[in-house]
Amino acid sequence: VTVGLLGHNSGPMEPLCDYRLSVPDKETQRIQEGCIVLGHILCTLIEQMMFPESVGVGPRRFSAKRISRLQAI
């Protein structure tokens, strides 16, 4: 599975991705900032799926119910 973090013009990378997360901006700086945020969110979700015992611990954790819905996607 390939997930692409893309900007306004995804160019030749788009057809190579199974899933595309796009930051709809033309400014490189904004696209980079958006991709950083998306990367952090993805890491948090993956960590919580791999280590469910940590769900609900610490700030801004997703609920177990929310994670199970995301796993179904």
Side-chain angles (χ1 to χ4, degrees):
V1 174
T2 305
V3 178
L5 300 176
L6 310 170
H8 171 72
N9 180 10
S10 53
M13 189 170 156
E14 185 172 3
L16 303 174
C17 302
D18 297 313
Y19 297 96
R20 293 166 269 312
L21 300 175
S22 250
V23 178
D25 205 304
K26 293 181 182 179
E27 290 186 41
T28 301
Q29 293 168 320
R30 297 293 172 242
I31 295 167
Q32 290 173 341
E33 290 167 353
C35 287
I36 289 169
V37 171
L38 289 170
H40 282 289
I41 291 168
L42 286 173
C43 286
T44 299
L45 291 171
I46 292 167
E47 177 185 326
Q48 290 178 359
M49 285 182 213
M50 291 178 66
F51 307 102
E53 66 276 2
S54 69
V55 174
V57 178
R60 297 184 181 198
R61 294 287 183 178
F62 290 97
S63 70
K65 184 177 180 181
R66 168 100 173 138
I67 290 173
S68 66
R69 277 189 273 156
L70 290 170
Q71 287 174 330
I73 296 177

XYZ file of all heavy atoms in Angstrom:
563
model
N 0.853 -1.177 0.000
C 0.000 0.000 0.000
C 0.893 1.232 0.000
O 1.827 1.340 0.789
C -0.926 0.025 1.237
C -1.698 1.319 1.307
C -1.856 -1.161 1.217
N 0.591 2.150 -0.889
C 1.360 3.387 -0.995
C 0.448 4.567 -0.690
O -0.597 4.735 -1.307
C 1.934 3.559 -2.412
O 2.687 2.399 -2.740
C 2.814 4.784 -2.493
N 0.868 5.386 0.288
C 0.135 6.595 0.649
C 0.989 7.777 0.222
O 2.166 7.872 0.607
C -0.148 6.662 2.167
C -0.868 7.954 2.521
C -0.951 5.453 2.612
N 0.416 8.659 -0.573
C 1.147 9.829 -1.039
C 0.682 11.090 -0.338
O -0.512 11.333 -0.214
N 1.636 11.885 0.138
C 1.343 13.214 0.682
C 1.650 14.184 -0.441
O 2.802 14.376 -0.813
C 2.213 13.504 1.913
C 2.042 12.547 3.087
C 3.024 12.892 4.198
C 0.632 12.591 3.610
N 0.608 14.776 -0.989
C 0.738 15.557 -2.211
C 0.307 17.002 -2.024
O -0.456 17.320 -1.121
C -0.122 14.919 -3.308
C 0.063 13.415 -3.520
C -1.009 12.881 -4.445
C 1.438 13.118 -4.052
N 0.784 17.836 -2.942
C 0.379 19.230 -2.955
C -0.696 19.470 -3.998
O -1.317 18.539 -4.515
N -0.890 20.728 -4.333
C -1.917 21.141 -5.293
C -1.768 20.402 -6.621
O -2.723 19.896 -7.182
C -1.836 22.651 -5.497
C -2.682 23.165 -6.618
N -4.047 23.212 -6.523
C -2.361 23.633 -7.843
C -4.540 23.707 -7.663
N -3.532 23.960 -8.466
N -0.569 20.352 -7.130
C -0.290 19.669 -8.391
C 0.505 18.412 -8.062
O 1.706 18.460 -7.892
C 0.501 20.587 -9.320
C 0.817 19.914 -10.637
O 0.301 18.852 -10.936
N 1.673 20.543 -11.418
N -0.173 17.284 -7.977
C 0.475 16.045 -7.553
C 1.410 15.475 -8.612
O 2.251 14.633 -8.317
C -0.575 15.014 -7.163
O -1.502 14.858 -8.208
N 1.257 15.921 -9.826
C 2.166 15.538 -10.900
C 2.251 14.048 -11.139
O 1.273 13.318 -11.010
N 3.441 13.560 -11.466
C 3.598 12.150 -11.834
C 3.476 11.183 -10.654
O 3.403 9.978 -10.853
C 5.007 12.095 -12.427
C 5.726 13.243 -11.821
C 4.685 14.305 -11.589
N 3.438 11.694 -9.446
C 3.359 10.819 -8.279
C 1.952 10.254 -8.064
O 1.791 9.154 -7.547
C 3.804 11.573 -7.027
C 3.968 10.708 -5.822
S 4.754 11.651 -4.520
C 4.176 10.744 -3.110
N 0.945 10.984 -8.472
C -0.451 10.590 -8.206
C -0.792 9.168 -8.652
O -1.327 8.393 -7.877
C -1.426 11.588 -8.802
C -2.855 11.274 -8.430
C -3.818 12.360 -8.864
O -3.406 13.337 -9.494
O -5.008 12.197 -8.561
N -0.481 8.768 -9.883
C -0.866 7.415 -10.287
C -0.096 6.307 -9.562
O -0.473 5.142 -9.603
C -0.579 7.383 -11.794
C 0.290 8.535 -12.075
C 0.091 9.530 -10.977
N 0.975 6.656 -8.875
C 1.769 5.669 -8.150
C 1.229 5.386 -6.750
O 1.715 4.488 -6.071
C 3.225 6.151 -8.031
C 3.936 6.455 -9.357
C 5.312 7.059 -9.087
C 4.041 5.201 -10.208
N 0.228 6.176 -6.321
C -0.284 6.082 -4.950
C -1.609 5.333 -4.899
O -2.496 5.574 -5.713
C -0.489 7.484 -4.375
S 1.006 8.467 -4.385
N -1.718 4.450 -3.899
C -2.995 3.795 -3.643
C -3.952 4.763 -2.949
O -5.147 4.754 -3.202
C -2.798 2.556 -2.760
C -1.942 1.505 -3.443
O -2.200 1.204 -4.625
O -1.010 0.997 -2.802
N -3.395 5.565 -2.037
C -4.167 6.572 -1.304
C -3.427 7.885 -1.414
O -2.210 7.946 -1.317
C -4.312 6.188 0.178
C -5.074 4.909 0.365
C -4.409 3.699 0.508
C -6.466 4.902 0.379
C -5.104 2.514 0.664
C -7.171 3.721 0.534
C -6.480 2.527 0.676
O -7.170 1.362 0.823
N -4.191 8.973 -1.614
C -3.598 10.299 -1.770
C -4.142 11.250 -0.712
O -5.347 11.388 -0.568
C -3.918 10.835 -3.157
C -3.240 10.057 -4.261
C -3.763 10.320 -5.634
N -4.848 9.517 -6.174
C -4.950 8.198 -6.161
N -4.064 7.492 -5.543
N -5.951 7.576 -6.737
N -3.225 11.878 0.018
C -3.596 12.924 0.980
C -3.051 14.223 0.407
O -1.841 14.421 0.323
C -3.002 12.625 2.362
C -3.439 11.304 2.994
C -2.692 11.072 4.299
C -4.934 11.296 3.236
N -3.949 15.086 -0.018
C -3.566 16.306 -0.717
C -3.703 17.539 0.158
O -4.680 17.687 0.886
C -4.474 16.500 -1.926
O -3.776 16.294 -3.095
N -2.720 18.415 0.045
C -2.778 19.731 0.693
C -3.084 20.715 -0.435
O -2.231 20.963 -1.290
C -1.440 20.078 1.385
C -1.509 21.455 2.012
C -1.084 19.023 2.424
N -4.305 21.259 -0.474
C -4.733 22.083 -1.607
C -4.199 23.516 -1.558
O -4.944 24.464 -1.340
C -6.258 22.055 -1.495
C -6.509 21.917 -0.031
C -5.378 21.064 0.492
N -2.906 23.648 -1.747
C -2.300 24.974 -1.760
C -1.230 24.987 -2.844
O -0.704 23.942 -3.220
C -1.678 25.293 -0.395
C -1.589 26.787 -0.144
O -0.989 27.502 -0.972
O -2.123 27.242 0.884
N -0.900 26.155 -3.339
C 0.123 26.279 -4.376
C 1.477 26.688 -3.804
O 2.489 26.570 -4.490
C -0.329 27.288 -5.431
C -1.522 26.805 -6.228
C -1.936 27.813 -7.275
C -3.166 27.319 -8.020
N -3.617 28.263 -9.032
N 1.493 27.165 -2.558
C 2.746 27.601 -1.938
C 3.468 26.419 -1.303
O 2.903 25.698 -0.485
C 2.474 28.662 -0.876
C 2.014 29.982 -1.443
C 1.889 31.039 -0.363
O 2.776 31.095 0.518
O 0.905 31.787 -0.400
N 4.725 26.238 -1.690
C 5.514 25.110 -1.202
C 5.550 25.056 0.322
O 5.397 23.983 0.920
C 6.947 25.187 -1.761
O 6.874 25.180 -3.187
C 7.790 24.020 -1.290
N 5.718 26.213 0.962
C 5.796 26.242 2.428
C 4.515 25.715 3.062
O 4.554 24.949 4.032
C 6.063 27.665 2.923
C 7.433 28.165 2.527
C 7.567 29.648 2.759
O 6.645 30.416 2.512
N 8.737 30.058 3.237
N 3.377 26.102 2.558
C 2.094 25.658 3.112
C 1.893 24.165 2.887
O 1.389 23.454 3.746
C 0.923 26.434 2.494
C 0.953 27.912 2.782
C 0.736 28.188 4.261
N 0.955 29.593 4.531
C 1.892 30.070 5.325
N 2.681 29.263 5.979
N 2.035 31.359 5.500
N 2.300 23.689 1.717
C 2.188 22.262 1.424
C 3.062 21.469 2.383
O 2.641 20.464 2.957
C 2.562 21.969 -0.046
C 1.549 22.627 -0.985
C 2.658 20.470 -0.293
C 1.981 22.664 -2.435
N 4.281 21.934 2.606
C 5.190 21.254 3.528
C 4.629 21.247 4.951
O 4.684 20.227 5.636
C 6.571 21.909 3.505
C 7.317 21.661 2.217
C 8.618 22.447 2.131
O 8.818 23.431 2.842
N 9.499 22.020 1.241
N 4.084 22.371 5.376
C 3.488 22.439 6.725
C 2.320 21.471 6.844
O 2.179 20.768 7.844
C 3.027 23.868 7.029
C 4.171 24.838 7.227
C 3.729 26.296 7.223
O 2.535 26.575 6.941
O 4.572 27.160 7.494
N 1.469 21.424 5.814
C 0.335 20.507 5.825
C 0.779 19.054 5.860
O 0.208 18.232 6.584
N 1.809 18.726 5.098
C 2.330 17.354 5.083
C 2.925 16.966 6.434
O 2.797 15.810 6.860
C 3.358 17.191 3.971
S 2.619 17.163 2.320
N 3.561 17.905 7.104
C 4.101 17.626 8.438
C 2.964 17.279 9.404
O 3.043 16.303 10.150
C 4.924 18.825 8.963
C 6.224 18.932 8.167
C 5.201 18.698 10.457
C 7.001 20.212 8.407
N 1.889 18.059 9.371
C 0.732 17.790 10.235
C 0.135 16.426 9.908
O -0.150 15.621 10.799
C -0.340 18.900 10.103
C -1.621 18.521 10.806
C 0.199 20.215 10.645
N -0.056 16.137 8.618
C -0.600 14.840 8.207
C 0.301 13.691 8.663
O -0.175 12.653 9.113
C -0.783 14.792 6.693
C -1.906 15.648 6.133
C -1.826 15.706 4.605
C -3.256 15.133 6.576
N 1.606 13.882 8.562
C 2.551 12.866 9.014
C 2.420 12.581 10.497
O 2.436 11.425 10.931
N 2.273 13.633 11.292
C 2.098 13.467 12.741
C 0.796 12.734 13.057
O 0.759 11.856 13.926
C 2.122 14.825 13.454
C 3.493 15.379 13.622
N 4.404 14.850 14.493
C 4.108 16.428 13.016
C 5.531 15.546 14.429
N 5.377 16.505 13.539
N -0.261 13.084 12.356
C -1.550 12.422 12.578
C -1.454 10.942 12.216
O -1.909 10.078 12.973
C -2.673 13.118 11.772
C -2.938 14.511 12.349
C -3.947 12.275 11.763
C -3.817 15.386 11.477
N -0.853 10.636 11.065
C -0.703 9.240 10.656
C 0.122 8.446 11.669
O -0.235 7.321 12.025
C -0.047 9.161 9.280
C -0.917 9.543 8.096
C -0.085 9.587 6.821
C -2.058 8.564 7.938
N 1.219 9.029 12.137
C 2.062 8.340 13.128
C 1.279 8.065 14.405
O 1.379 6.980 14.988
C 3.304 9.167 13.435
S 4.512 9.130 12.102
N 0.495 9.028 14.860
C -0.308 8.845 16.071
C -1.323 7.725 15.879
O -1.475 6.856 16.743
C -1.030 10.154 16.443
O -0.048 11.157 16.699
C -1.904 9.977 17.670
N -2.012 7.722 14.747
C -3.013 6.685 14.488
C -2.376 5.296 14.404
O -2.885 4.330 14.978
C -3.775 6.993 13.197
C -4.706 8.197 13.241
C -5.228 8.508 11.846
C -5.853 7.955 14.203
N -1.259 5.199 13.712
C -0.572 3.910 13.584
C -0.074 3.429 14.941
O -0.237 2.260 15.299
C 0.576 4.005 12.557
C 0.001 4.198 11.167
C 1.483 2.781 12.631
C 1.007 4.622 10.119
N 0.502 4.331 15.715
C 0.985 3.983 17.053
C -0.159 3.467 17.919
O -0.022 2.463 18.631
C 1.618 5.200 17.705
C 2.092 4.959 19.120
C 2.604 6.237 19.767
O 3.176 7.079 19.070
O 2.410 6.376 20.995
N -1.293 4.126 17.846
C -2.420 3.719 18.676
C -3.017 2.395 18.209
O -3.539 1.634 19.015
C -3.475 4.822 18.705
C -2.990 6.017 19.493
C -3.991 7.144 19.512
O -5.052 7.041 18.921
N -3.659 8.220 20.189
N -2.937 2.099 16.911
C -3.416 0.805 16.430
C -2.455 -0.317 16.827
O -2.880 -1.427 17.128
C -3.582 0.844 14.916
C -4.787 1.618 14.473
S -4.925 1.537 12.675
C -5.617 3.131 12.332
N -1.164 -0.010 16.825
C -0.177 -1.026 17.171
C -0.097 -1.273 18.679
O 0.217 -2.376 19.117
C 1.206 -0.605 16.652
C 1.316 -0.642 15.146
S 2.932 -0.096 14.548
C 3.965 -1.402 15.191
N -0.352 -0.229 19.446
C -0.249 -0.312 20.901
C -1.544 0.176 21.539
O -1.597 1.259 22.127
C 0.937 0.539 21.393
C 2.226 0.205 20.711
C 2.737 1.007 19.712
C 2.925 -0.942 21.054
C 3.923 0.692 19.068
C 4.114 -1.274 20.422
C 4.616 -0.453 19.423
N -2.617 -0.607 21.424
C -3.925 -0.157 21.909
C -3.964 0.098 23.411
O -4.814 0.846 23.876
C -4.868 -1.292 21.517
C -4.006 -2.452 21.231
C -2.670 -1.928 20.830
N -3.029 -0.486 24.163
C -3.015 -0.235 25.606
C -2.698 1.223 25.928
O -3.005 1.701 27.009
C -2.016 -1.166 26.315
C -0.568 -0.940 25.957
C -0.109 -1.635 24.678
O -0.915 -2.285 24.003
O 1.079 -1.507 24.355
N -2.121 1.939 24.966
C -1.808 3.348 25.204
C -2.964 4.274 24.839
O -2.894 5.471 25.057
C -0.566 3.753 24.415
O -0.844 3.771 23.033
N -4.035 3.713 24.258
C -5.188 4.529 23.869
C -5.795 5.154 25.107
O -6.038 4.491 26.105
C -6.250 3.685 23.126
C -7.502 4.494 22.861
C -5.677 3.154 21.832
N -6.036 6.454 25.024
C -6.643 7.162 26.145
C -5.642 7.688 27.148
O -6.001 8.346 28.100
N -4.362 7.400 26.917
C -3.323 7.877 27.823
C -2.667 9.096 27.198
O -2.270 9.056 26.048
C -2.256 6.776 28.063
C -1.164 7.292 28.965
C -2.906 5.528 28.621
N -2.551 10.149 27.941
C -1.895 11.338 27.434
C -2.860 12.262 26.705
O -4.021 11.945 26.517
N -2.347 13.404 26.279
C -3.192 14.402 25.628
C -3.598 13.999 24.211
O -2.856 13.338 23.504
C -2.297 15.638 25.599
C -0.918 15.092 25.591
C -0.973 13.819 26.391
N -4.802 14.366 23.844
C -5.308 14.252 22.478
C -5.258 12.843 21.902
O -4.954 12.649 20.745
C -4.558 15.205 21.562
C -4.782 16.641 21.948
C -4.115 17.547 20.985
N -4.333 18.909 21.416
C -4.181 19.951 20.658
N -3.812 19.801 19.426
N -4.393 21.152 21.104
N -5.522 11.867 22.706
C -5.572 10.496 22.195
C -6.950 10.238 21.607
O -7.947 10.765 22.073
C -5.291 9.476 23.304
C -3.893 9.555 23.852
C -2.943 8.989 22.847
N -1.597 8.994 23.411
C -0.556 8.523 22.779
N -0.682 8.035 21.583
N 0.613 8.546 23.334
N -6.994 9.419 20.566
C -8.261 9.044 19.979
C -8.895 7.950 20.826
O -8.210 7.148 21.432
C -8.059 8.523 18.552
C -7.650 9.597 17.590
C -6.321 9.787 17.279
C -8.595 10.418 17.003
C -5.938 10.775 16.389
C -8.228 11.407 16.114
C -6.892 11.583 15.812
N -10.186 7.876 20.819
C -10.877 6.832 21.574
C -10.714 5.493 20.870
O -10.483 5.426 19.664
C -12.363 7.164 21.694
O -12.981 7.039 20.429
N -10.838 4.406 21.625
C -10.732 3.065 21.052
C -11.795 2.860 19.982
O -11.557 2.208 18.965
C -10.850 2.024 22.155
N -12.989 3.423 20.184
C -14.068 3.294 19.204
C -13.668 3.956 17.885
O -13.872 3.413 16.811
C -15.337 3.927 19.768
C -16.549 3.777 18.881
C -17.779 4.367 19.554
C -19.003 4.220 18.684
N -20.187 4.801 19.317
N -13.077 5.125 17.967
C -12.647 5.850 16.766
C -11.564 5.063 16.027
O -11.589 4.952 14.814
C -12.128 7.228 17.167
C -11.406 7.967 16.089
C -12.295 8.976 15.443
N -11.486 9.770 14.537
C -11.888 10.126 13.353
N -13.078 9.818 12.961
N -11.135 10.817 12.560
N -10.628 4.504 16.762
C -9.554 3.747 16.134
C -10.100 2.511 15.444
O -9.695 2.178 14.331
C -8.469 3.383 17.183
C -7.737 4.651 17.583
C -7.504 2.349 16.621
C -6.772 4.472 18.705
N -11.056 1.832 16.059
C -11.621 0.629 15.422
C -12.341 1.008 14.125
O -12.323 0.253 13.158
C -12.550 -0.111 16.376
O -13.686 0.652 16.670
N -12.955 2.169 14.079
C -13.599 2.618 12.841
C -12.553 2.895 11.764
O -12.750 2.600 10.606
C -14.446 3.860 13.086
C -15.831 3.528 13.631
C -16.695 4.735 13.658
N -16.442 5.394 14.927
C -16.626 6.668 15.169
N -17.105 7.454 14.252
N -16.376 7.195 16.344
N -11.424 3.473 12.154
C -10.356 3.766 11.188
C -9.726 2.486 10.671
O -9.330 2.405 9.519
C -9.300 4.657 11.835
C -9.751 6.091 12.110
C -8.730 6.803 12.975
C -9.970 6.839 10.816
N -9.630 1.456 11.525
C -9.042 0.192 11.089
C -9.907 -0.464 10.016
O -9.408 -1.196 9.186
C -8.893 -0.752 12.281
C -7.775 -0.345 13.211
C -7.735 -1.202 14.457
O -8.759 -1.688 14.913
N -6.561 -1.377 15.012
N -11.190 -0.198 10.060
C -12.118 -0.808 9.107
C -11.977 -0.210 7.707
O -12.458 -0.788 6.739
C -13.556 -0.652 9.609
N -11.339 0.936 7.610
C -11.211 1.626 6.307
C -10.239 0.889 5.405
O -9.244 0.437 5.750
C -10.768 3.089 6.508
C -11.836 3.847 7.249
C -10.444 3.753 5.197
C -11.487 5.265 7.578
